[in-house]
Amino acid sequence: MLIALLLFAPVLIFLLSLPASGRLRPCLRLIYRLVGGILVVGGNGASIYFAAYSGDQGGITAFYLQITVIISYALLSVLLLVVHRLWQ
């Protein structure tokens, strides 16, 4: 259960935050949607692939890759919010 939450939580959070991203400036919104979408969907896809097809070593790799995806997505979100706030 925890592994499924770890794998699919970033995608769910990204999809739920799309309507709220409309408050960002247009260029920041575009960056958030493109970079965040590629990061979350691509990172999750790679993690699921490693977990499913690479045995034990792939499962460990998938775990660390998913932690990297979550941290990177959180940093991207915070960075864009700070830039949006400073831009006003």
Side-chain angles (χ1 to χ4, degrees):
M1 177 70 173
L2 180 63
I3 294 173
L5 180 66
L6 184 69
L7 286 173
F8 297 112
V11 173
L12 183 64
I13 291 170
F14 177 74
L15 291 175
L16 290 174
S17 68
L18 280 177
S21 70
R23 295 180 187 161
L24 294 172
R25 293 190 176 274
C27 61
L28 295 176
R29 183 180 333 131
L30 180 67
I31 291 171
Y32 176 76
R33 290 180 179 179
L34 287 177
V35 175
I38 291 170
L39 179 70
V40 169
V41 174
N44 281 353
S47 293
I48 291 171
Y49 175 80
F50 285 137
Y53 296 111
S54 298
D56 291 337
Q57 293 295 324
I60 294 167
T61 303
F63 174 76
Y64 286 118
L65 180 61
Q66 195 60 27
I67 294 298
T68 304
V69 166
I70 292 169
I71 291 171
S72 301
Y73 177 66
L75 286 174
L76 174 72
S77 299
V78 169
L79 179 69
L80 287 177
L81 288 174
V82 167
V83 169
H84 175 72
R85 182 60 100 187
L86 292 175
W87 202 340
Q88 289 183 0

